[in-house]
Amino acid sequence: MERNIKRAISLAVKEAPYTRLCSSKNILAVNGQFPGPTLHAHTGDTIIVDVHNRGDQNITIHWHGVKQPRYPWSDGPEFITQCPIKPGGKFSQKIVLSDEEGTLWWHAHSDWSRATVHGAIIIYPKNGTTYPFPKPHAEALIILGEWWKSDIQEVLEEFMENGGDPNNSDAYLINGQLGDLYPCSIPDTFKLTVEYGKTYLLRMINTVMNSILFFSVANHQITVIGTDGSYTKPLKTNYIAISPGQTIDFLLEANQKPNHYYMAARAFNSAPAVPFDNTTTTAIIQYKGNYKPSSPQPLPLLPAYNDTNASTTFTGSLRSLANKDHPVNVPLKIRTKLFFTISINTLPCGNNNSCEGPGGNRFSASVNNITLQLPTIDILEAYYRQINGIYGNNFPKFPPLAFNYTADSLPVQLRTPRRATKVRVIKYNSTVELVFQGTNLLSGVDHPMHLHGYSFYVVGWGIGNFDKEKDPKNYNLVDPPLQNTIAVPKNGWAAIRFKADNPGVWFMHCHFERHISWGMGMTFIVRNGKHPDAKILPPPPDMPPC
Ligand code: C2O
Ligand code: CU
């Protein structure tokens, strides 16, 4: 098939001063913009992005939700598919779109740089096709972000060293702006001007580091029409729950009395023990016309911070559009069954028990009781060039020990994971079912799990322990949503299915940055198939050297 190749953009990563909350600090920003520049494309395009590291620290860039068929080389996760781009270095990355349509995003995938190094990818329908809903009058991005007063690398270094929780952020952002509820925020508020009677397509991305967010618009119902670069059945709702990594596209009909209305976002935090930033960011919808806006302007009603039901109800209501033009293709016969526990753990602090985690230990996190240890040569390189000793290929299909994962109090001995670099190897075209099981070790909490290289169908979810006899009977195999990030509910489970038709090395991890820093991630290697079209493409000549 003919591909539309564009040399779209070059991204230069560089430090620049930004002022928020009455103080200025240097952040890593791309092309002098925060949030970074938007990539525009059509379904099936390939975009060439020249990444130039003009900062003073290592960096990699990932295209979140882009499947990159047979081309893991540009995927971006540090030490999984590439070594970092060093200061002064360049890497020309190929963003290979296939059937993604809607909104995705790009972000740094090394240390915590993604806090400020991120931007949107908008994928329009192919020329000659249209949206599966009436054409909106206009479109806008709603990029939800997070702001620390201190330097983000210092936040990272501090909690990695002291073994405790990271410092909370000081604010959330909408399109880089704080909104009116923070000190010194005026005039830092994003405003969207609308005309009465018109409909707007809003593309929302949750780029925040450590929180699922609730979002709502005062006095307006909205209609969700897509998530993670795939269309959904229209879902009318008063609020959205959105995970870090996830995107939600929705229609806003300007059908209220002309006025100014707030939209607002704040954290959903399911675990009382986990500290979080409980501030609220706002932006304004302002109707055109001659009228005096009411004062104060209406604020939306958001679900309570700890309203797990509001979060799971929203996420559980998403359905694939599943029509003739956008069919679903859920694997029905499963070849590879995987069951992964996802846990918060502790490891010994070191020579003395002076860490700030529980009992003087150091926080850690795991998948099937394995805490990810990043290698020094990326796994893709080691796999492709058959370099031994970098990783083991026996990542377990099941947890080493079955226990009552979601029991109220669990024995302390279960808390300690093993550190390792292991991959799970999957045969080309195998059909995979993966059940994520949250555990109540230390503290049960939601985990937004993200898979690279694939979108997956979320066929089921529930609270408590997954029951392999009963629960599959209730799977939705008709119109499950197609996603790349799924919030596994606190002390609950989620089941996903996909066909392993994309050979490569693909990272899978929690999209809470503190959890990935603690090791909640693992890697899949999907083998080549026999056909020449089923093999990994050769690497580009300018892969950053290790
Ligand atoms: Cu949005 Cu592995 O990342
Ligand atoms: Cu997590």
Side-chain angles (χ1 to χ4, degrees):
M1 200 175 66
E2 182 91 350
R3 278 189 180 279
N4 183 6
I5 299 204
K6 318 190 206 179
R7 179 165 292 264
I9 195 158
S10 75
L11 301 182
V13 190
K14 203 181 164 196
E15 294 246 328
Y18 280 75
T19 304
R20 298 283 184 279
L21 297 167
C22 323
S23 67
S24 181
K25 67 164 184 173
N26 276 341
I27 64 170
L28 269 187
V30 172
N31 296 3
Q33 288 167 250
F34 173 67
T38 302
L39 306 186
H40 297 267
H42 289 91
T43 299
D45 282 357
T46 291
I47 312 170
I48 311 282
V49 180
D50 297 316
V51 179
H52 186 181
N53 185 359
R54 295 173 61 202
D56 57 4
Q57 64 191 74
N58 290 345
I59 200 138
T60 70
I61 307 283
H62 166 56
W63 322 90
H64 180 118
V66 177
K67 293 193 270 291
Q68 305 278 30
R70 305 164 60 205
Y71 200 73
W73 304 104
S74 276
D75 192 45
E78 184 182 34
F79 297 120
I80 306 292
T81 62
Q82 70 172 87
C83 282
I85 309 170
K86 299 192 179 72
K90 286 185 178 169
F91 182 26
S92 180
Q93 291 181 249
K94 207 151 86 176
I95 318 315
V96 188
L97 296 166
S98 47
D99 54 2
E100 303 89 346
E101 191 165 307
T103 309
L104 296 172
W105 62 301
W106 55 268
H107 62 77
H109 213 301
S110 43
D111 54 59
W112 276 33
S113 304
R114 81 168 178 85
T116 57
V117 176
H118 60 248
I121 306 176
I122 298 181
I123 309 152
Y124 300 107
K126 264 203 182 82
N127 288 331
T129 67
T130 51
Y131 295 130
F133 46 84
K135 191 176 187 303
H137 178 66
E139 304 188 7
L141 276 167
I142 306 284
I143 301 180
L144 305 170
E146 193 166 20
W147 187 264
W148 275 259
K149 280 188 190 160
S150 40
D151 183 271
I152 198 69
Q153 296 306 330
E154 279 165 25
V155 176
L156 170 65
E157 278 159 31
E158 189 186 341
F159 89 99
M160 290 307 282
E161 183 158 322
N162 70 28
D165 273 308
N167 283 342
N168 290 337
S169 55
D170 298 290
Y172 295 107
L173 305 166
I174 294 179
N175 293 341
Q177 313 287 338
L178 298 157
D180 297 341
L181 305 184
Y182 294 98
C184 313
S185 58
I186 301 155
D188 296 338
T189 295
F190 171 70
K191 298 190 178 80
L192 178 71
T193 305
V194 301
E195 269 175 69
Y196 182 85
K198 304 245 148 103
T199 298
Y200 296 80
L201 170 58
L202 302 186
R203 301 169 178 274
M204 174 177 291
I205 307 167
N206 184 351
T207 75
V208 315
M209 304 293 273
N210 288 315
S211 291
I212 297 173
L213 297 175
F214 285 130
F215 170 90
S216 179
V217 182
N219 296 45
H220 291 73
Q221 261 212 337
I222 54 185
T223 307
V224 174
I225 49 83
T227 185
D228 287 359
S230 172
Y231 294 114
T232 61
K233 291 203 165 68
L235 171 67
K236 278 205 168 31
T237 177
N238 293 318
Y239 69 93
I240 283 170
I242 184 169
S243 293
Q246 196 182 4
T247 72
I248 302 264
D249 290 355
F250 61 94
L251 300 173
L252 175 92
E253 208 187 317
N255 57 7
Q256 294 300 299
K257 187 168 154 268
N259 198 353
H260 291 183
Y261 296 93
Y262 277 120
M263 53 175 116
R266 71 174 181 198
F268 158 56
N269 184 54
S270 59
V274 177
F276 73 106
D277 172 354
N278 67 359
T279 63
T280 304
T281 179
T282 56
I284 297 172
I285 309 256
Q286 46 188 24
Y287 280 69
K288 272 193 189 153
N290 268 326
Y291 61 89
K292 199 166 165 290
S294 63
S295 160
Q297 20 191 310
L299 263 169
L301 210 62
L302 288 158
Y305 291 118
N306 57 0
D307 193 342
T308 294
N309 190 42
S311 169
T312 52
T313 300
F314 176 82
T315 304
S317 301
L318 296 171
R319 298 284 179 275
S320 274
L321 181 54
N323 68 11
K324 201 166 99 283
D325 293 336
H326 302 277
V328 295
N329 195 1
V330 190
L332 298 177
K333 264 217 168 75
I334 299 299
R335 287 263 179 75
T336 304
K337 275 201 177 166
L338 304 170
F339 183 81
F340 287 2
T341 51
I342 41 182
S343 305
I344 304 297
N345 307 91
T346 53
L347 282 166
C349 186
N351 19 10
N352 49 12
N353 278 358
S354 60
C355 276
E356 288 178 21
N361 291 303
R362 158 179 299 286
F363 271 122
S364 125
S366 65
V367 180
N368 278 351
N369 210 42
I370 295 179
T371 291
L372 171 68
Q373 190 126 46
L374 284 175
T376 46
I377 297 178
D378 61 278
I379 293 178
L380 176 56
E381 166 104 6
Y383 168 61
Y384 195 77
R385 307 205 186 282
Q386 303 180 6
I387 305 169
N388 286 328
I390 304 297
Y391 62 86
N393 57 11
N394 54 347
F395 189 92
K397 285 180 152 182
F398 302 96
L401 187 71
F403 58 95
N404 180 358
Y405 307 110
T406 55
D408 274 345
S409 60
L410 287 165
V412 173
Q413 310 84 267
L414 293 176
R415 285 184 182 176
T416 311
R418 287 194 314 126
R419 309 173 95 142
T421 312
K422 286 176 186 286
V423 306
R424 181 82 228 157
V425 180
I426 299 177
K427 277 202 189 118
Y428 179 74
N429 259 349
S430 184
T431 44
V432 182
E433 176 176 302
L434 165 52
V435 176
F436 294 108
Q437 174 69 61
T439 77
N440 199 30
L441 286 170
L442 282 153
S443 121
V445 56
D446 295 64
H447 297 287
M449 302 305 293
H450 170 51
L451 174 61
H452 289 221
Y454 290 88
S455 287
F456 47 74
Y457 290 102
V458 182
V459 296
W461 64 273
I463 305 293
N465 296 338
F466 174 71
D467 181 329
K468 69 176 195 302
E469 304 303 326
K470 275 200 207 125
D471 288 322
K473 298 201 170 93
N474 298 320
Y475 280 172
N476 174 4
L477 303 174
V478 177
D479 60 357
L482 187 61
Q483 297 179 229
N484 61 53
T485 306
I486 179 64
V488 179
K490 169 187 173 177
N491 289 330
W493 57 272
I496 66 170
R497 287 187 175 188
F498 61 95
K499 186 175 182 191
D501 54 5
N502 186 13
V505 170
W506 305 113
F507 199 24
M508 199 280 298
H509 61 92
C510 180
H511 220 287
F512 282 158
E513 217 57 34
R514 64 181 196 282
H515 292 176
I516 177 72
S517 298
W518 288 339
M520 189 179 278
M522 57 75 68
T523 304
F524 287 109
I525 289 183
V526 176
R527 282 253 177 76
N528 284 337
K530 291 216 180 69
H531 195 270
D533 281 353
K535 297 190 195 305
I536 295 185
L537 293 164
D542 62 341
M543 282 306 290
C546 290

